[in-house]
Every structure is written in structure tokens, then in C-alpha cells.
Amino acid sequence: VQNWVAVVDAGGSIPPDTYGAVGLNHVVTATNNYIKIHAKAGGAQISAVTISAFTGVASTCDPQMFFDPGSQRWIFVAIGCAGNSNQVILITSNTSDPTGTWRIVTFIPLPGGFLDHPYLGYDDTKIVIGGRKFAGGTTYTGPDLYLFDKAAMLAGTTITFGTNAQTIVKTATDGDCPRPVTVYFPPFSNSGNPTPGTIYIVQSWNNTSLR
């Protein structure tokens, strides 16, 4: 058992949107301020960069960082928060080592609007991002889902919506921000698995319940 301070909140982003994941030899922490990598054994800091330097997108925020044990890759999602027509940012590591190279894919799902709260989930075949969209940056118009072929993303294949990526558009009557559920298949989970290719979504519904 060991512990250390990963990131001291700089106080510049409210909320700091803390997230992190543990890999084979590293711990990667993501906040609205920094991406920091520590050694899994001992906790020595290996690197620290601002989140916008990591993504290459100004005013990046709302980060989520995962380590996928199946592919042994890191998966990261965030958005640009500078204003309307913001970018969604999907980044995957090229190896299990987060100090190595990463692949970055960005897209603008709502020209003139704002996509908020990007939530990420994955299984053996897909990477899925859910978000809540606002027309003109203020009027909530419903949830969206963006599905990516996981093998194509990890292999560096060009991502093209309609080919190896898909958008599912919903309206305000379809509830609030959808959270894709991460599902592990054998050998990481050996019972109760859904049919491969089935994606589950957890969602705030009518402000009083989940569905």
C-alpha cells in the first residue's frame, strides 16, 4: 500500500475535474490544469504538462483518463471550453507507456453550439463518448453519442464519421447526459457479459431518476 499527492489544485479551474487511471507501471492524473505521470512504484513524478499542451487545444477542460487492460492502452477524452463550436478531443496512447507517443483525434460536433460533459466508455470493439449539447451555448437540446471503432482508433486508421465512427443524435426529451458503460470481456470478466457489440448507457432521467 502506498500513496502520494498526485496534483495540488492550482485553484484556477472550478471545479478542477479530477480524473486518473493506473496502468502497468504508471499512474496518470488528469485535471483541468495538468496531466501528470507518476511511477506506479514509489510515486515519483515523471512528467507534468498543462492539459492544453497535452491536447493541443486551447482551454481544454472536462478530462477523463482511462487505462484499458485489454488493449493495454490509455484512453483520454476532453473538450475545448473556449466557446461555441468547441472541439471534442479523443486521445489514445500508442503503447502501454504513457510517456511515449499518443494519437489525437478532434472533431466539432455542433457548429455554432456547445458540447459539454464528455463521458467515455469502451468495450472490446468500441470507444463511446456521450455528451450534452447546447444550441448557441445556452439552450439544452439533448444528448449525443459518438461511437468509434476501437481497433481503427488504436491502429492509427483515419477516423471518418459514417465509416468507422457514428453519431447518435437525441433531443431534450431523451434525458440528460448519457454515460457509456465500460464493459470488460474475458479474461477480465467471465460472467454476466453482454453480447459483444452491445453498449450500455447510464443516464440522468427527468431530474429524479436514472435509466
Side-chain angles (χ1 to χ4, degrees):
V1 177
Q2 54 187 325
N3 65 84
W4 61 86
V5 176
V7 178
V8 176
D9 183 12
S13 298
I14 301 175
D17 285 341
T18 58
Y19 225 89
V22 179
L24 302 180
N25 300 299
H26 303 84
V27 178
V28 181
T29 305
T31 71
N32 280 336
N33 292 299
Y34 295 105
I35 304 294
K36 289 194 175 185
I37 301 175
H38 290 80
K40 185 175 176 178
Q45 180 175 299
I46 297 172
S47 69
V49 298
T50 66
I51 187 173
S52 292
F54 177 68
T55 65
V57 176
S59 302
T60 297
C61 70
D62 287 4
Q64 292 194 342
M65 180 72 72
F66 293 81
F67 181 76
D68 173 26
S71 65
Q72 296 190 353
R73 302 285 191 93
W74 301 83
I75 307 175
F76 172 90
V77 67
I79 55 174
C81 289
N84 291 340
S85 300
N86 65 324
Q87 298 182 71
V88 175
I89 308 156
L90 176 61
I91 305 180
T92 53
S93 65
N94 290 321
T95 69
S96 63
D97 183 355
T99 67
T101 58
W102 297 66
R103 181 197 187 180
I104 301 176
V105 170
T106 64
F107 61 100
I108 299 174
L110 303 169
F114 190 83
L115 194 287
D116 200 9
H117 291 142
Y119 291 134
L120 186 143
Y122 57 88
D123 63 8
D124 276 10
T125 63
K126 294 180 181 65
I127 297 173
V128 185
I129 300 171
R132 54 203 314 259
K133 57 183 183 286
F134 293 86
T138 57
T139 303
Y140 178 63
T141 58
D144 274 7
L145 290 164
Y146 310 104
L147 296 82
F148 299 84
D149 182 275
K150 183 178 176 182
M153 184 66 195
L154 297 184
T157 304
T158 299
I159 297 298
T160 304
F161 280 90
T163 301
N164 51 20
Q166 177 185 355
T167 300
I168 298 176
V169 177
K170 294 294 185 178
T171 68
T173 61
D174 295 304
D176 206 337
C177 188
R179 177 67 187 249
V181 177
T182 291
V183 176
Y184 298 107
F185 286 87
F188 305 101
S189 175
N190 294 302
S191 63
N193 296 329
T195 302
T198 298
I199 296 294
Y200 286 103
I201 305 294
V202 177
Q203 184 183 36
S204 175
W205 186 248
N206 294 335
N207 295 319
T208 59
S209 60
L210 298 176
R211 73 167 183 174

